[in-house]
Amino acid sequence: MILFKNIPLKKNIAYLFSCAIFFMFTACEEDLTQSGKNQSKNFPSQIINNANIIQRDSGFVTLRAKAHIIEKYELIDSPYTVARKGIDIQFFDKKKPKIPGKLSAKYARIFEYKQFYEAKGDVRITTNEGQRFAMQSIYWDQKKKRIYTRDTVYVTMEDGSTLIGANGMTAKDDFSEYTFYKNTGDFSTTKISQSKQ
């Protein structure tokens, strides 16, 4: 103990104790960083119960959405929002603000960064023109302003005529244009062209 010969015993203990604490914290810090690499980040960062969402554009209500539960997954590489217990949406057009379009589904997922939406399970869409669409799933690419499905689509027009697209459809997201694949139905083409004007 030649090094500590002139230093009182209390200072020696304090010095040794502070060195021990430093090494202990350094070791703990390394263990925490190593253990954090293996933990899953796929859990919701936000949960909203009985959600009632209103979206506005310059004061005009463009969308109203209701869901029992909404979960946001923001800590992963491709963040998304999901409504696992269903969703009901009303969307409004400035040309017909008093007649909203409607969408309901048992499940919905939104990839906000990609601007990509999907709805599944008894999907029902009613346009503000009165056309009703029924299918099991639908996808909306907001960037391209297109919606599509490969499921069988059942369409009922406002006058009661029907159309079945056996292999799905693609459409503009405002339903001003749409294409059905392997379709059958009971209405005339003049009624289709009149309803689009």
Side-chain angles (χ1 to χ4, degrees), residues 41-138:
K41 294 180 181 177
N42 194 13
F43 59 87
S45 56
Q46 293 182 41
I47 299 173
I48 304 167
N49 289 306
N50 298 319
N52 189 3
I53 300 165
I54 298 173
Q55 184 178 12
R56 298 176 191 269
D57 180 12
S58 304
F60 176 76
V61 175
T62 57
L63 180 137
R64 289 180 192 268
K66 290 184 179 183
H68 294 294
I69 187 167
I70 292 178
E71 299 170 334
K72 293 188 88 171
Y73 291 80
E74 301 171 302
L75 305 175
I76 55 177
D77 293 336
S78 296
Y80 64 92
T81 302
V82 66
R84 294 182 197 282
K85 295 190 176 181
I87 194 163
D88 291 302
I89 300 172
Q90 290 183 324
F91 43 94
F92 297 85
D93 186 355
K94 289 183 179 179
K95 296 174 186 174
K96 293 188 175 184
K98 294 185 178 180
I99 306 171
K102 297 175 186 175
L103 180 142
S104 65
K106 291 184 176 179
Y107 172 92
R109 186 163 56 164
I110 302 164
F111 295 92
E112 292 175 21
Y113 178 73
K114 297 177 182 177
Q115 296 182 339
F116 188 82
Y117 303 77
E118 64 182 41
K120 294 181 179 180
D122 291 331
V123 179
R124 302 289 182 263
I125 300 172
T126 304
T127 68
N128 58 8
E129 298 284 333
Q131 301 158 330
R132 296 187 309 271
F133 296 78
M135 71 277 303
Q136 285 303 307
S137 66
I138 195 159

Side-chain angles (χ1 to χ4, degrees), residues 1-9 11-13 15-16:
M1 282 266 178
I2 296 172
L3 293 175
F4 301 111
K5 184 175 170 185
N6 297 328
I7 302 172
L9 183 61
K11 287 187 179 179
N12 280 342
I13 292 172
Y15 175 74
L16 291 172

